Amino acid sequence: MIASLLPDGMSLAHYAGMAAMVLVGACLQGIGGVGFAMFSAPIAALFYPELAPGPLLALGGPLALMSALRELDQVDWGAAGVALIGRVVGTLGAAVCLMLLPAELLTVMFAIFILAGVALSLSGRRIDASRGNMVGAGIASGLMGTITSAGAPPFALVMQYLPPPRLRATLGCVFFVGAAFSVAMLASVGRFGRHELLLTAWLLPLMAAGFALSGPLNQRVPRGAVRGLLLALSAFGAVALLVREAVGY
């Protein structure tokens, strides 16, 4: 009965797998401020390619908004504005790249850059959340997010030393506006239509449930664990993307 209501004859097992992925990813983002696309995008690329990048971006937008609203008094509006300038520039560049260059090549390049950034962070060298670094992270996020749906790693590296509430709230604002702009760009190049919209609608309840689960965990996760989570998710996402390209998915 339920399977008959799913879009385009999708099996219940297939939907259950996507739902579980979205639930966990939303919970991770509710805790760390990032994590939804970083966790979900590599899995989707391997097993649920219909979700990347459009539906994941469309789900990530309202999820980011909920993160911002939950801790609105913690938003660093100056940092958010600077980051959004870079994000818009990067998204426009991504739209051009999607029309002119193979996405596989860009994905490999970005994954390598992410791993280099994680290695730099683990080396003990501090990456400050300066205006220049925030703009650069925004440009990289716009490019990566629009092409792969995983645009969080650049911000995770630059903002990892901020207090978790400020990080979550500020990135929530950035990702909400950024995701909306990325979806609009995807629609303009024919990469987001009715099918993607239906998939998004079917997974919205699971996204909301995952975010709700993160609430009780926020005060129990120490700052050091949040930083470790961000770096681990960045590395995991990068390695998974490289594996996807290596096996030819």
Side-chain angles (χ1 to χ4, degrees):
M1 177 65 178
I2 297 177
S4 65
L5 299 176
L6 295 174
D8 296 340
M10 180 186 299
S11 71
L12 186 57
H14 193 74
Y15 173 74
M18 293 192 298
M21 179 193 73
V22 169
L23 181 75
V24 174
C27 185
L28 288 173
Q29 178 143 332
I31 295 171
V34 296
F36 175 67
M38 293 163 66
F39 171 78
S40 301
I43 298 174
L46 290 169
F47 302 108
Y48 314 110
E50 65 268 39
L51 293 180
L56 287 183
L57 281 167
L59 288 166
L63 175 60
L65 178 61
M66 290 191 293
S67 296
L69 291 177
R70 185 164 64 182
E71 299 172 300
L72 192 60
D73 60 327
Q74 296 292 324
V75 176
D76 185 334
W77 295 106
V82 171
L84 278 172
I85 292 173
R87 175 85 189 206
V88 169
V89 172
T91 301
L92 292 172
V96 175
C97 290
L98 284 171
M99 292 186 291
L100 300 179
L101 299 176
E104 293 81 4
L105 174 61
L106 293 170
T107 300
V108 171
M109 292 172 56
F110 290 143
I112 292 173
F113 290 153
I114 293 169
L115 290 175
V118 171
L120 181 63
S121 180
L122 291 176
S123 71
R125 183 173 179 178
R126 189 183 182 96
I127 305 175
D128 295 322
S130 65
R131 285 182 174 268
N133 287 341
M134 289 294 289
V135 171
I139 293 173
S141 176
L143 283 164
M144 295 171 59
T146 307
I147 293 171
T148 70
S149 78
F155 286 124
L157 295 172
V158 171
M159 301 176 70
Q160 62 182 291
Y161 292 102
L162 295 181
R166 187 185 305 172
L167 183 147
R168 289 191 296 263
T170 303
L171 286 184
C173 291
V174 173
F175 290 146
F176 171 62
V177 178
F181 192 61
S182 291
V183 170
M185 289 297 101
L186 287 172
S188 71
V189 296
R191 298 286 295 273
F192 191 91
R194 181 178 179 275
H195 179 67
E196 289 76 17
L197 187 61
L198 285 174
L199 284 174
T200 302
W202 268 96
L203 292 168
L204 270 174
L206 281 303
M207 179 274 290
F211 181 77
L213 288 174
S214 73
L217 300 176
N218 276 337
Q219 303 303 320
R220 301 181 182 181
V221 180
R223 179 175 175 176
V226 172
R227 176 177 179 267
L229 174 67
L230 297 179
L231 293 175
L233 286 171
S234 296
F236 169 78
V239 171
L241 287 172
L242 287 175
V243 170
R244 184 197 71 178
E245 298 305 320
V247 300
Y249 275 87

